């Protein structure tokens, strides 16, 4: 047991031009006060439509970019105030897996080098031991010895993602952040890779943040679910609570959409950042007063939502 990650009130604002021709700048609150807590061996599934801030959250936690404010505690250390040296050692313990393994694997490197490189760099093995360890890791991700000499282009998408997962396991991380790791794969391959993630999480007691816009995938792999909408957490709780008893109208809509039910997506233009619930325009259960202030996350540890209908 033990807490691996604790994120408190993370904020990240992007300043973007309104259009190519415009000098006017617009502020986008990609993360607007996001908090979460993650224990060893647990997986939080992060869901939300495109643009809700999921990838920004992943990048900020890994310090691939700096949040504007907030706190990130990883293994009890405050990532935003430690030295570069300390960060370097801690980095070993956190890994990211992207949607497209083609972009995370060097096309000119054989599988052996892709996996041996971090092993040697972090001195987890010496040169003599490297080959055996690489083969062991390949086995762990469901690939046989013959893959050591393959290049990325000689493999299928699923095989490449297995190699990327294997590479991320080399440093024995405490945390893996997977950002849409199966979204670019064929549906038939998706479940194999999701099962591999499940297997790894159980075997190595790794904490995981699993980002996906696909609720069926998230449901399968997560212990807890966090639903994001426009930079905010609108609902969070145990998997069963969120799926069986969804409280936020947005979560209900996502669940219905995943079941193949038709839903309307309208009112996108209304977005008053400073005032009111950001889901107001699309909400099927809104009241006039939902415009007056921003709903806060309330509820129990097992289930919280940010909706005035529930508070
Ligand atoms: N580097 C960036 N510069 C400007 N805006 C960005 C940048 N990255 C993300 N955004 C904006 O931040 C919001 C959240 O994006 P993102 O985190 O990629 O969402 P998701 O991963 O949920 O699709 C979007 O409105 C997106 O356009
Ligand atoms: Mg994304």
């Amino acid at each position: 047991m033990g807490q691996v990650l604790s994120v408190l009130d993370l904020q990240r604002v992007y300043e973007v031009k309104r259009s190519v021709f415009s000098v006017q700048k617009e502020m986008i609150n990609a993360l607007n006060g996001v908090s979460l807590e993650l224990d060893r061996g647990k997986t939080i599934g992060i869901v939300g439509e495109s643009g809700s801030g999921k990838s920004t959250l992943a990048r900020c936690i890994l310090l691939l970019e700096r949040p504007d404010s907030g706190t990130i505690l990883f293994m009890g250390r405050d990532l935003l105030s430690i030295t570069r040296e300390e960060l370097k050692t801690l980095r070993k313990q956190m890994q990211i897996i992207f949607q497209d393994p083609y972009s995370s694997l060097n096309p000119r490197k054989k599988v052996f080098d892709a996996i041996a490189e971090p092993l040697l760099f972090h001195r987890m093995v010496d040169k003599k031991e490297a080959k055996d360890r690489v083969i062991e890791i390949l086995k762990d991700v469901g690939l046989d010895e013959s893959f050591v000499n393959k290049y990325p282009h000689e493999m299928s998408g699923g095989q490449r993602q297995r190699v990327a997962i294997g590479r991320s396991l080399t440093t024995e991380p405490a945390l893996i952040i997977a950002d849409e790791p199966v979204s670019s794969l064929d549906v038939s391959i998706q479940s194999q890779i999701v099962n591999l993630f499940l297997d790894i999480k159980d075997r190595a007691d790794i904490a995981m943040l699993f980002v996906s816009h696909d609720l069926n995938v998230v449901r399968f792999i997560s212990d807890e679910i966090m639903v994001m909408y426009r930079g905010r957490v609108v609902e969070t709780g145990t998997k069963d609570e969120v799926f069986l008893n969804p409280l936020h109208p947005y979560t209900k809509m996502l669940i219905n959409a995943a079941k193949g039910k038709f839903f309307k997506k309208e009112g996108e233009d209304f977005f008053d950042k400073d005032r009111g619930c950001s889901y107001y325009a699309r909400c099927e259960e809104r009241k006039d007063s939902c415009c007056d202030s921003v709903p806060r996350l309330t509820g129990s540890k097992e289930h919280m939502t940010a909706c005035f209908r529930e508070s």
Side-chain angles (χ1 to χ4, degrees):
M1 279 313 283
Q3 196 168 69
V4 172
L5 180 70
S6 167
V7 170
L8 193 69
D9 202 15
L10 226 51
Q11 304 269 352
R12 179 75 172 104
V13 177
Y14 294 115
E15 207 175 287
V16 291
K17 274 181 161 184
R18 254 170 214 272
S19 76
V20 221
F21 307 107
S22 160
V23 285
Q24 267 188 325
K25 295 269 175 74
E26 191 181 2
M27 308 292 250
I28 294 178
N29 284 291
L31 294 179
N32 200 343
V34 173
S35 303
L36 64 88
E37 289 188 356
L38 179 61
D39 286 344
R40 190 165 277 284
K42 295 283 179 204
T43 296
I44 297 181
I46 303 178
V47 292
E49 294 163 328
S50 166
S52 53
K54 306 183 298 296
S55 294
T56 305
L57 177 63
R59 289 194 304 268
C60 284
I61 291 172
L62 294 163
L63 287 193
L64 298 176
E65 67 181 86
R66 259 188 115 74
D68 297 308
S69 65
T71 311
I72 306 165
L73 291 179
F74 176 65
M75 312 291 282
R77 312 300 306 277
D78 181 350
L79 290 190
L80 293 170
S81 66
I82 59 175
T83 64
R84 269 167 173 267
E85 281 304 304
E86 281 179 292
L87 182 59
K88 229 167 113 185
T89 12
L90 278 178
R91 270 256 163 79
K92 235 176 88 176
Q93 308 232 43
M94 47 214 288
Q95 294 286 343
I96 186 158
I97 296 184
F98 293 105
Q99 173 171 351
D100 177 12
Y102 229 148
S103 63
S104 56
L105 296 174
N106 185 334
R108 278 169 305 197
K109 274 195 185 145
K110 289 182 177 177
V111 168
F112 175 80
D113 295 310
I115 296 176
E117 198 180 64
L119 284 172
L120 293 167
F121 180 80
H122 292 293
R123 304 199 180 153
M124 315 282 290
V125 294
D126 63 31
K127 278 217 168 109
K128 280 195 301 216
E129 298 161 334
K131 181 140 191 228
D132 285 346
R133 184 73 186 114
V134 169
I135 291 170
E136 214 173 86
I137 288 170
L138 282 176
K139 230 180 240 155
D140 283 348
V141 295
L143 298 173
D144 67 42
E145 203 175 324
S146 69
F147 279 85
V148 289
N149 287 319
K150 287 202 199 284
Y151 287 97
H153 74 267
E154 297 174 310
M155 297 182 285
S156 68
Q159 289 164 345
R160 279 197 291 270
Q161 196 59 296
R162 285 177 191 274
V163 173
I165 293 167
R167 186 179 150 94
S168 78
L169 292 174
T170 51
T171 57
E172 294 167 13
L175 170 69
I176 287 184
I177 300 187
D179 191 355
E180 305 269 6
V182 299
S183 303
S184 67
L185 302 174
D186 288 348
V187 174
S188 58
I189 309 296
Q190 284 188 1
S191 67
Q192 293 175 17
I193 301 296
V194 171
N195 273 298
L196 176 61
F197 273 106
L198 260 183
D199 179 40
I200 286 165
K201 163 190 121 169
D202 289 343
R203 199 154 27 96
D205 214 16
I206 290 174
M208 216 150 46
L209 287 182
F210 195 101
V211 173
S212 179
H213 66 275
D214 185 340
L215 266 69
N216 295 317
V217 168
V218 165
R219 179 169 200 167
F220 190 67
I221 195 153
S222 309
D223 302 294
E224 283 172 39
I225 308 287
M226 192 169 114
V227 185
M228 289 184 69
Y229 184 73
R230 291 195 154 156
R232 287 201 169 95
V233 179
V234 296
E235 182 155 1
T236 178
T238 61
K239 171 177 69 178
D240 285 347
E241 274 291 329
V242 173
F243 274 105
L244 301 176
N245 180 27
L247 298 175
H248 199 282
Y250 179 60
T251 312
K252 294 178 199 169
M253 186 281 289
L254 288 178
I255 290 173
N256 281 333
K259 288 179 187 150
K261 289 190 192 150
F262 177 77
F263 68 93
K264 276 193 297 190
K265 186 174 177 178
E266 60 181 21
E268 273 296 281
D269 289 334
F270 177 95
F271 186 38
D272 188 338
K273 295 184 195 73
D274 305 318
R275 232 166 53 88
C277 174
S278 50
Y279 192 60
Y280 180 81
R282 288 171 64 184
C283 186
E284 303 211 323
E285 301 176 37
R286 68 187 176 207
K287 303 177 284 187
D288 288 348
S289 56
C290 294
C291 264
D292 296 343
S293 60
V294 178
R296 302 194 158 275
L297 266 180
T298 53
S300 67
K301 194 174 176 333
E302 279 68 44
H303 201 170
M304 299 210 267
T305 188
C307 176
F308 290 119
R309 294 199 71 90
E310 298 294 334
S311 54

